[in-house]
Amino acid sequence: MPELSPVMTYLAPVGSILALLFAVYLVRTVMKESEGTDQMSKISLAIRKGAAAYLRRQYTGVGLFFVVMFVILLIMAFAGLLTIFVPFAFITGGFFSGLSGFIGMKVATSANARTANGCREGLNKGLRIAFNSGAVMGLVVVGLGLLDVSFWFLFLEWFYSNIDVLPNIEKYQAITSAMLTFGMGASSMALFARVGGGIFTKAADVGADLVGKVEAGIPEDDPRNPAVIADNVGDNVGDVAGMGADLYESYVGSIISSSALAVAAGFGLNGIVVPMSMAAVGVLASIIGTFFVRSSEKATQSVLLAALRKGTYGTSIIIAIVSFFIVRIMLGEENIGIYFAILGGLVAGNLIGLTTEYYTSDTYKPTKDLAQTSNTGAATLIIGGLSLGMLSTALPVIIVGVAVIFAFVVSGGSVENFEVGLYGIGISAVGMLSTLGITLATDAYGPIADNAGGIAEMAGLPEEVRERTDALDSLGNTTAATGKGFAIGSAALTALALIAAYTDEINTLIAKNSLNFSINASITNPYTLVGLFIGGMLPFVFSSMTMQAVGRAAQGIVVEVRRQFKEIKGLMEGKAEADYATCVDICTKAAQKEMIAPSLLAIAAPIAVGVILGVNGVIGMLAGALVTGFVMAIMMANAGGAWDNAKKHIEAGNLGGKGSDNHKAAVVGDTVGDPFKDTSGPSLNILIKLLSMVSIVFASFVLRFQLFK
Amino acid sequence: MPELSPVMTYLAPVGSILALLFAVYLVRTVMKESEGTDQMSKISLAIRKGAAAYLRRQYTGVGLFFVVMFVILLIMAFAGLLTIFVPFAFITGGFFSGLSGFIGMKVATSANARTANGCREGLNKGLRIAFNSGAVMGLVVVGLGLLDVSFWFLFLEWFYSNIDVLPNIEKYQAITSAMLTFGMGASSMALFARVGGGIFTKAADVGADLVGKVEAGIPEDDPRNPAVIADNVGDNVGDVAGMGADLYESYVGSIISSSALAVAAGFGLNGIVVPMSMAAVGVLASIIGTFFVRSSEKATQSVLLAALRKGTYGTSIIIAIVSFFIVRIMLGEENIGIYFAILGGLVAGNLIGLTTEYYTSDTYKPTKDLAQTSNTGAATLIIGGLSLGMLSTALPVIIVGVAVIFAFVVSGGSVENFEVGLYGIGISAVGMLSTLGITLATDAYGPIADNAGGIAEMAGLPEEVRERTDALDSLGNTTAATGKGFAIGSAALTALALIAAYTDEINTLIAKNSLNFSINASITNPYTLVGLFIGGMLPFVFSSMTMQAVGRAAQGIVVEVRRQFKEIKGLMEGKAEADYATCVDICTKAAQKEMIAPSLLAIAAPIAVGVILGVNGVIGMLAGALVTGFVMAIMMANAGGAWDNAKKHIEAGNLGGKGSDNHKAAVVGDTVGDPFKDTSGPSLNILIKLLSMVSIVFASFVLRFQLFK
């Protein structure tokens, strides 16, 4: 029933606008709340200022990058290597990704004191404020993502139907191929945001802990620590803005890659519209889902969790039901298998989240056992955490493997009919990410609660307020684990769809330009195999660079905090105020400087490999980076999370409690885990997709200049 | 000139016998030396007994495994899935691999007191004894390896020429295909030896350090420590027997895989004989090389190193010259490019060794910088070491990548003519390993010197003797770094050749049985890709298992040593003797128990993946494991080596020296690095080859029972 498609193409922009409107409504609700005492708003203002200063500087630096890339792409377009829309699509992708990070962070930094103040009233009030602010982030990401996708789709569809008229198949090929390239804008922006934010937040955190907690012996979030504001700013720039940009690009990437695969699979417009419509349905379902989230005053941890889960599971169920009709109507009964691919994606995302929770929560055996290893000191705890992280990669790999084969088979993929199966895999990533509006809400609310706790501490609010913010924060850790599962799982599926889209793109280019070349990305092809090696090595080198960046930046903070403790008289007695701004400034500068090298690596590698090893080498590299990056990301996230919770487990009074030798060992583990779980690990999700995006944009360049074929 | 081939087939057995004869000569030379004082021979005897007890128990356990596998293979042979020779070839592969480990260790444990005694006379004397004993190991490995290869080659050649007469091409296919399978015997044995030995040595080392050095505050190698003998036994079972079995299988693997590729490349008998002849030449060159190794009495570290280097470089030059003629004569002028592939392998092995040295020696910046990170404690040192290890993967990957492409291209490989290029890659691995006789000598002498140092300490020999053994030991660390480079690099190239051999084997089986199946191991094939994911995850899970095994076994030692300190009266005062045997026994039992699960994983995974994901999935799995395993092995070896040397750098008086906070942090790093560099890392080299070997042996089984095609 193809006559429905034109109508359905408007579902995405409508969904997008609804998401943005609802976000505006939520912002208003949140902003109506009071920030509490003068001191609370003063602290919140300092955090807001620091975060804004960081973003301003980051966007200036990144802006320069975008200008340079824009010019390069423009030259390539004039040289006939790209269509003229690519440079502009690249810019809008970056712009909207940055914008969603900006808005999310603005709201988060405005909500922290309000959440703390809400917790003075009660737990439910605090939860509502924090969750609604998180939901703004979720809705802005999906809203802007869908806006960008649908704008370009409708514009290009109009262009190729009226200006440069192309027959149907070629038209959709041209549209999806141009749309793929704006993914590179979003991915580049996401990498900068993740890496920069990750370096900022962990430099501040590690630096503050090393001098404050360890050397000076003052508690966390103590206002006498000059790095305390930087630490709180870090939660926002890393966990909010970074996470937002990250998932923005996953979201957009999954939609555009499956659209591209739809054309290759022969589904035409209907196939393109399915992922967009599903995303739109996901938006509406997420909005409905937010209303499920509320809790009673005397809520325990598990009641709170149930409240959040009600929201995410409710959304999932709505999507599961509506997608059936979308697939049935748009692709016909004979392709209903694709619906099961969607379900597979939804289930796989949740399962990966559960494994993350199992390996990192101290209610389960692995983290409890890990805490035990602190009996024989830091060394055995480090070995234990690394082993735990490595072991925890098994289940997610198997889950993704099953999801991939399942999606391929149920969609009707086979040796003879590859493309349909690949489209099914792409669509299952869209399924996994369709709940993003609400899963991101449950994720982004964590750092807000964390910040609220910091403000409660610094403003000297009563113990019970801090207890409530802690309850919210600790819950945030659990939901963040699930969120990370989605981020990693969807990155794997999306990257996979992007590799498939890349080979499609190459085949299209070969046909269009009648080139004498054909893809041979068999593993026994030495070029592919060497590409695989290089790709497998990239996540290691990339992680090394980002970890060392955190180390260097933290060192800068250590020196500065020591200087302030020494030079500012009366600081330790609480009579003088610390110079918070300098620490924020050091982190900002360090993050900007340190994010350049790893980001350039991600952009230069596919081009260099392409020129030297050719297209078959690039495909190998993408697969190698995908596999190692995925496994490393899980390892780092879970090892880091487990160390963190093992420490909290000990701090809760187990194994000698705070101040014991076990606790000291656990602090070492937690510090090692910090860059693992919040800088290097999450950046890998973006790395594996950015590599594909760059490869796609430079495909025609590489095809022309490859040394070995 | 094919008439030369029959003559050349005897070069290998001749080389093999010469190697073994020269080894016997060296053993006699070593055994003529005195063991020194009564106490020295008493200590040496205790180590010898412990090592023998370990090997006895290990071989009993492993023997059971071999019997079971033998029966399985026999059943498969009767079912027509394998030729009848496979079970027997499997057994001999395991037997000879075990035998070379056994002999190497016998000599090493007889040479330790003799080396210590030699050092009483002077440095050169000590070096000669230790080096000659190491050379026995090297020569036994290459001698037995060549013996096994040439026996089977000559026997099968006779069999298929006289009993079951086959036309030439099919004959050589049948011969090389049967020979490939005894690689599985050698690989299984190697894995058991490496994993078991690695667990033993690090459990003893970590356990002895944790209680002895850290808790009781007594120095290393102090006779009051009940785990001290176990620690010294560990050096022998891990670094000597484990390393020997490891390189035995690399050596044999590279020869048999390139023989198999020779047939596919169309070189026939001549192509098969080249790798065997080169290995034989390598043996002779290594024997000549050993005569280059001697030093003056007043030798400094660098003079000693130069002495050893003279031996290895001399050997390399001889091989480089003679191989030219071998290739020229056997393959003709038109294939002289293959000679350059050999040179490429030789150079690449040395270069990887140099990068290992650069990243792990404290004469260079990386390890010096790492030592600096101890200024801010254990956490930053751990982060620093992990980053260093991750970064250090870049150069080896690029070197291997260049070597692979170089070998492929110069051998004449191209899209149309793959097989020749793959043969070139296989041959370059043989080139890299042809110096094994002497590189293994410089490697195996390290643990002998280490043991000699321990005996000098325990027997209370004068300070200058200990200084000399320390000089030898420290030199051993540098040569061990080079040796590790060879082990890792050759494992990568050999595994690569094995993957190619596997696909050849599959194609042969398809043709022979007229199966309706063809390989499609393109990366975009979901089965291959999921296989790639699973393969990429295996090294992580495997490392996790081995690391945790070390942790558990070390815990057992800690408990036992604490018990002895408490219960044996007068032990700490030196009036009573510790019960060394119990600690040896605990390590032995733990190693036997703990090595089962990871080894079974390595054997079960290819079969399970084969049945579920089919042949294309297996190829993906092999490639994934190769890439991740290679990168992880380098990461672990270099991080571990750098931590070790950063600690030694501090102990040499830098950054506060022994007992400082920096030193304490460095001890944590060293302890984390122990299982990295001596258990998990080196085992990965074997894992990646064993997976291929198992896949090859079970190829026909998988072809028949694969669920997805």
Side-chain angles (χ1 to χ4, degrees):
Chain A
M1 299 151 226
E3 66 282 1
L4 251 177
S5 301
V7 180
M8 294 292 277
T9 54
Y10 290 97
L11 199 57
V14 168
S16 144
I17 287 162
L18 278 180
L20 295 174
L21 287 178
F22 191 64
V24 170
Y25 160 76
L26 287 178
V27 171
R28 284 167 170 250
T29 327
V30 170
M31 295 307 281
K32 258 190 253 155
E33 303 293 334
S34 154
E35 287 207 315
T37 68
D38 278 356
Q39 207 188 344
M40 286 166 75
S41 44
K42 199 182 116 193
I43 298 167
S44 177
L45 184 68
I47 297 174
R48 208 148 52 234
K49 267 192 188 162
Y54 169 80
L55 272 202
R56 205 176 313 120
R57 176 118 46 149
Q58 177 165 61
Y59 289 164
T60 316
V62 171
L64 187 69
F65 165 82
F66 270 84
V67 168
V68 172
M69 279 306 296
F70 179 78
V71 172
I72 293 175
L73 295 178
L74 214 54
I75 293 170
M76 284 172 65
F78 282 125
L81 291 168
L82 296 170
T83 69
I84 189 64
F85 304 118
V86 171
F88 298 94
F90 170 77
I91 289 283
T92 61
F95 175 76
F96 280 117
S97 163
L99 187 61
S100 43
F102 176 78
I103 296 174
M105 212 184 66
K106 268 279 180 221
V107 176
T109 52
S110 302
N112 47 17
R114 292 182 166 88
T115 301
N117 195 50
C119 283
R120 289 165 81 189
E121 271 185 47
L123 193 57
N124 189 37
K125 180 92 187 193
L127 174 68
R128 287 298 309 173
I129 297 174
F131 178 77
N132 280 341
S133 320
V136 171
M137 177 69 173
L139 290 166
V140 164
V141 164
V142 296
L144 291 179
L146 266 185
L147 189 67
D148 200 15
V149 170
S150 34
F151 163 75
W152 278 103
F153 176 75
L154 293 172
F155 169 75
L156 291 169
E157 149 88 300
W158 168 82
F159 182 86
Y160 288 116
S161 303
N162 297 289
I163 309 293
D164 179 10
V165 184
L166 290 176
N168 258 359
I169 294 189
E170 281 171 50
K171 176 167 81 175
Y172 295 125
Q173 230 162 30
I175 293 175
T176 53
S177 148
M179 280 168 65
L180 268 176
T181 58
F182 79 60
M184 182 179 153
S187 291
S188 312
M189 187 67 220
L191 192 72
F192 284 119
R194 254 301 184 202
V195 174
I199 293 171
F200 186 115
T201 181
K202 288 303 124 177
D205 189 1
V206 171
D209 282 1
L210 280 178
V211 203
K213 272 208 265 188
V214 181
E215 286 185 18
I218 55 178
E220 194 157 349
D221 290 327
D222 190 296
R224 288 171 294 175
N225 192 330
V228 70
I229 293 290
D231 191 4
N232 279 287
V233 170
D235 291 342
N236 290 294
V237 302
D239 298 346
V240 179
M243 168 73 95
D246 178 353
L247 285 164
Y248 178 93
E249 75 98 15
S250 266
Y251 189 69
V252 165
S254 71
I255 298 173
I256 58 183
S257 58
S258 41
S259 303
L261 294 172
V263 180
F267 287 128
L269 180 60
N270 286 18
I272 298 177
V273 169
V274 168
M276 291 204 262
S277 316
M278 279 182 47
V281 169
V283 167
L284 303 177
S286 294
I287 293 177
I288 299 171
T290 58
F291 291 102
F292 294 158
V293 181
R294 50 189 72 242
S295 168
S296 68
E297 261 343 294
K298 298 209 164 284
T300 60
Q301 184 89 357
S302 58
V303 173
L304 282 176
L305 186 60
L308 289 176
R309 287 267 155 89
K310 225 193 294 173
T312 49
Y313 288 155
T315 307
S316 297
I317 291 168
I318 295 174
I319 293 172
I321 295 168
V322 181
S323 322
F324 177 81
F325 295 100
I326 293 181
V327 174
R328 180 75 180 67
I329 294 169
M330 303 299 293
L331 302 175
E333 200 173 345
E334 67 278 19
N335 290 307
I336 198 66
I338 289 175
Y339 168 67
F340 294 102
I342 296 173
L343 281 193
L346 265 172
V347 171
N350 279 297
L351 285 181
I352 295 178
L354 287 180
T355 68
T356 310
E357 204 184 315
Y358 171 72
Y359 279 107
T360 59
S361 159
D362 74 339
T363 45
Y364 300 103
K365 195 167 176 290
T367 300
K368 274 188 193 155
D369 284 354
L370 178 63
Q372 290 285 347
T373 62
S374 65
N375 281 330
T376 33
T380 43
L381 182 92
I382 297 290
I383 294 177
L386 290 171
S387 317
L388 179 151
M390 288 176 180
L391 193 65
S392 74
T393 62
L395 284 177
V397 164
I398 291 169
I399 293 168
V400 164
V402 171
V404 165
I405 299 291
F406 178 77
F408 183 79
V409 172
V410 294
S411 314
S414 67
V415 179
E416 294 78 28
N417 203 358
F418 249 55
E419 269 67 23
V420 176
L422 295 179
Y423 177 66
I425 295 173
I427 279 283
S428 79
V430 178
M432 194 186 273
L433 283 166
S434 56
T435 58
L436 187 65
I438 191 140
T439 46
L440 192 51
T442 62
D443 214 357
Y445 110 101
I448 298 173
D450 193 357
N451 252 244
I455 291 175
E457 183 79 31
M458 284 185 267
L461 298 186
E463 190 58 27
E464 54 167 9
V465 177
R466 180 76 215 221
E467 268 165 25
R468 284 177 193 147
T469 60
D470 276 355
L472 289 180
D473 183 18
S474 145
L475 180 63
N477 283 337
T478 307
T479 55
T482 320
K484 266 179 196 159
F486 270 91
I488 297 176
S490 66
L493 288 182
T494 304
L496 222 150
L498 285 171
I499 297 177
Y502 174 72
T503 59
D504 275 349
E505 180 73 18
I506 293 287
N507 284 329
T508 309
L509 286 170
I510 291 171
K512 219 168 79 182
N513 304 305
S514 321
L515 298 176
N516 176 25
F517 174 75
S518 66
I519 293 180
N520 170 17
S522 164
I523 278 173
T524 45
N525 181 347
Y527 299 103
T528 305
L529 196 77
V530 171
L532 203 63
F533 267 103
I534 292 178
M537 166 265 281
L538 285 177
F540 281 78
V541 171
F542 184 84
S543 299
S544 168
M545 290 166 103
T546 46
M547 277 164 66
Q548 286 187 326
V550 170
R552 274 190 298 265
Q555 209 64 40
I557 288 294
V558 167
V559 171
E560 170 62 18
V561 173
R562 281 191 190 146
R563 184 194 68 79
Q564 291 199 23
F565 277 154
K566 217 171 89 184
E567 294 181 7
I568 301 180
K569 294 201 196 312
L571 177 58
M572 285 305 279
E573 295 75 38
K575 286 176 196 154
E577 198 173 62
D579 174 9
Y580 303 121
T582 311
C583 286
V584 172
D585 198 49
I586 288 173
C587 286
T588 303
K589 280 187 188 148
Q592 299 316 307
K593 198 182 117 203
E594 299 280 3
M595 79 184 183
I596 296 172
S599 305
L600 285 186
L601 174 73
I603 291 165
I607 304 174
V609 167
V611 170
I612 298 172
L613 297 176
V615 167
N616 295 321
V618 171
I619 297 175
M621 180 203 70
L622 295 179
L626 166 58
V627 169
T628 327
F630 176 63
V631 178
M632 284 262 285
I634 298 168
M635 192 275 262
M636 293 185 130
N638 289 352
W643 275 319
D644 189 354
N645 286 328
K647 189 192 72 170
K648 289 194 174 128
H649 181 72
I650 293 175
E651 284 174 353
N654 301 297
L655 297 164
K658 268 194 184 178
S660 64
D661 279 347
N662 292 53
H663 185 235
K664 276 179 202 143
V667 168
V668 172
D670 183 39
T671 312
V672 172
D674 269 340
F676 263 47
K677 71 181 199 307
D678 292 321
T679 312
S680 307
S683 307
L684 289 174
N685 295 336
I686 305 170
L687 175 73
I688 58 184
K689 285 168 289 174
L690 180 56
L691 291 172
S692 311
M693 293 288 188
V694 174
S695 304
I696 290 170
V697 170
F698 285 86
S700 50
F701 177 83
V702 163
L703 262 179
R704 184 171 305 175
F705 295 107
Q706 58 185 344
L707 293 176
F708 292 102
K709 295 177 183 178
Chain B
M1 299 154 230
E3 68 281 1
L4 254 177
S5 302
V7 180
M8 294 291 277
T9 53
Y10 290 97
L11 200 57
V14 169
S16 143
I17 288 162
L18 278 179
L20 296 174
L21 287 178
F22 191 65
V24 171
Y25 161 76
L26 287 178
V27 170
R28 284 166 170 250
T29 327
V30 170
M31 295 308 280
K32 258 189 255 157
E33 303 293 334
S34 153
E35 286 206 318
T37 67
D38 278 357
Q39 205 187 347
M40 285 165 75
S41 43
K42 198 181 120 197
I43 298 166
S44 178
L45 184 68
I47 297 173
R48 207 147 53 232
K49 266 193 190 160
Y54 169 79
L55 272 202
R56 205 175 315 120
R57 176 119 45 150
Q58 179 166 58
Y59 289 163
T60 316
V62 172
L64 188 68
F65 165 81
F66 270 84
V67 168
V68 171
M69 278 306 296
F70 179 79
V71 172
I72 292 174
L73 295 178
L74 214 54
I75 294 170
M76 284 172 65
F78 284 124
L81 291 168
L82 296 169
T83 69
I84 188 66
F85 303 118
V86 172
F88 299 94
F90 170 76
I91 289 281
T92 62
F95 175 75
F96 281 118
S97 164
L99 188 60
S100 44
F102 176 78
I103 296 175
M105 214 183 64
K106 268 280 179 221
V107 177
T109 52
S110 302
N112 48 17
R114 291 181 168 89
T115 301
N117 194 49
C119 282
R120 289 165 81 190
E121 270 185 49
L123 193 58
N124 190 36
K125 181 92 186 191
L127 174 67
R128 288 297 311 174
I129 298 174
F131 179 77
N132 281 342
S133 320
V136 171
M137 176 70 170
L139 291 166
V140 164
V141 164
V142 295
L144 291 179
L146 266 184
L147 189 67
D148 200 16
V149 170
S150 33
F151 164 76
W152 278 104
F153 175 74
L154 293 172
F155 168 76
L156 291 169
E157 149 88 302
W158 167 83
F159 182 87
Y160 288 117
S161 304
N162 297 289
I163 309 296
D164 180 10
V165 184
L166 289 176
N168 257 357
I169 294 188
E170 281 171 49
K171 176 167 80 175
Y172 295 125
Q173 231 161 28
I175 293 176
T176 54
S177 149
M179 280 169 64
L180 267 176
T181 58
F182 78 60
M184 183 180 154
S187 291
S188 313
M189 187 66 222
L191 193 72
F192 285 119
R194 255 299 185 206
V195 174
I199 293 170
F200 187 115
T201 181
K202 289 302 124 179
D205 189 3
V206 171
D209 283 1
L210 280 178
V211 203
K213 274 209 267 189
V214 180
E215 285 184 19
I218 55 177
E220 195 157 345
D221 291 328
D222 191 297
R224 288 171 293 177
N225 191 330
V228 70
I229 294 289
D231 191 4
N232 279 288
V233 170
D235 293 341
N236 290 294
V237 303
D239 298 347
V240 179
M243 168 73 94
D246 177 353
L247 284 164
Y248 178 94
E249 74 97 16
S250 266
Y251 189 70
V252 164
S254 70
I255 297 173
I256 58 183
S257 58
S258 40
S259 303
L261 293 171
V263 180
F267 287 129
L269 180 59
N270 286 17
I272 298 176
V273 170
V274 169
M276 291 204 260
S277 316
M278 278 182 46
V281 169
V283 167
L284 303 178
S286 295
I287 293 178
I288 298 172
T290 58
F291 291 102
F292 295 158
V293 180
R294 48 190 72 242
S295 168
S296 69
E297 262 340 297
K298 299 207 162 285
T300 60
Q301 182 92 357
S302 58
V303 173
L304 282 176
L305 186 60
L308 289 176
R309 288 267 155 89
K310 227 194 292 174
T312 49
Y313 289 154
T315 307
S316 298
I317 291 168
I318 296 174
I319 293 172
I321 294 168
V322 181
S323 326
F324 177 81
F325 295 101
I326 294 182
V327 173
R328 179 76 179 66
I329 293 169
M330 302 300 293
L331 302 175
E333 200 174 342
E334 66 278 19
N335 289 308
I336 198 68
I338 288 176
Y339 168 68
F340 294 102
I342 296 173
L343 282 193
L346 265 172
V347 172
N350 279 295
L351 285 180
I352 295 177
L354 287 180
T355 68
T356 311
E357 205 185 315
Y358 171 71
Y359 279 107
T360 59
S361 159
D362 73 340
T363 47
Y364 301 103
K365 196 167 175 292
T367 299
K368 276 189 193 154
D369 284 355
L370 178 62
Q372 290 285 346
T373 61
S374 66
N375 281 329
T376 32
T380 45
L381 183 93
I382 297 290
I383 294 178
L386 290 171
S387 317
L388 180 152
M390 288 175 179
L391 193 65
S392 75
T393 61
L395 283 176
V397 164
I398 290 169
I399 293 168
V400 163
V402 171
V404 166
I405 298 291
F406 179 77
F408 183 78
V409 171
V410 294
S411 314
S414 66
V415 179
E416 294 79 27
N417 201 359
F418 249 56
E419 270 66 24
V420 176
L422 295 178
Y423 177 66
I425 295 173
I427 279 284
S428 80
V430 178
M432 195 185 271
L433 283 166
S434 56
T435 59
L436 187 66
I438 191 139
T439 46
L440 193 50
T442 62
D443 215 358
Y445 110 102
I448 298 172
D450 193 357
N451 254 243
I455 292 176
E457 183 79 30
M458 283 185 268
L461 297 188
E463 189 60 26
E464 52 167 12
V465 177
R466 179 78 216 221
E467 268 164 25
R468 286 178 192 145
T469 60
D470 276 356
L472 290 180
D473 183 18
S474 143
L475 180 62
N477 283 337
T478 307
T479 55
T482 320
K484 265 179 196 157
F486 270 90
I488 297 175
S490 65
L493 288 181
T494 304
L496 221 150
L498 285 170
I499 296 177
Y502 173 71
T503 59
D504 275 349
E505 180 74 17
I506 293 287
N507 283 329
T508 309
L509 287 169
I510 291 171
K512 220 168 79 182
N513 303 307
S514 320
L515 298 176
N516 175 25
F517 173 75
S518 67
I519 293 180
N520 169 18
S522 164
I523 280 174
T524 44
N525 181 346
Y527 298 103
T528 305
L529 196 78
V530 171
L532 203 63
F533 267 105
I534 291 177
M537 165 265 279
L538 285 178
F540 280 78
V541 172
F542 183 84
S543 299
S544 169
M545 290 166 104
T546 46
M547 277 164 66
Q548 286 187 328
V550 170
R552 275 191 297 264
Q555 209 65 42
I557 288 293
V558 166
V559 171
E560 170 62 18
V561 173
R562 280 191 191 145
R563 184 195 68 80
Q564 291 199 23
F565 277 154
K566 217 171 90 185
E567 294 181 8
I568 301 180
K569 295 201 195 314
L571 177 58
M572 285 306 277
E573 295 76 37
K575 286 177 198 155
E577 197 171 62
D579 174 10
Y580 303 121
T582 310
C583 285
V584 173
D585 197 51
I586 289 174
C587 285
T588 303
K589 278 187 190 145
Q592 299 316 308
K593 197 181 118 202
E594 298 281 4
M595 78 184 181
I596 297 171
S599 305
L600 285 186
L601 174 73
I603 290 165
I607 304 173
V609 168
V611 170
I612 298 171
L613 297 176
V615 168
N616 295 320
V618 171
I619 297 176
M621 180 204 69
L622 295 179
L626 166 57
V627 169
T628 328
F630 177 63
V631 178
M632 283 262 286
I634 299 168
M635 193 275 260
M636 293 185 130
N638 289 350
W643 275 318
D644 189 354
N645 286 327
K647 188 192 72 170
K648 289 193 174 129
H649 181 72
I650 292 174
E651 284 174 352
N654 301 297
L655 297 164
K658 269 194 182 177
S660 64
D661 279 348
N662 292 51
H663 185 234
K664 276 178 202 141
V667 168
V668 172
D670 184 38
T671 311
V672 173
D674 269 341
F676 263 47
K677 71 181 199 306
D678 293 322
T679 312
S680 308
S683 307
L684 289 174
N685 295 334
I686 305 169
L687 175 73
I688 58 184
K689 285 167 290 175
L690 180 56
L691 292 172
S692 310
M693 294 287 187
V694 174
S695 304
I696 290 170
V697 170
F698 286 85
S700 50
F701 177 83
V702 162
L703 263 178
R704 184 169 307 173
F705 295 106
Q706 58 186 343
L707 292 178
F708 291 104
K709 296 179 181 177

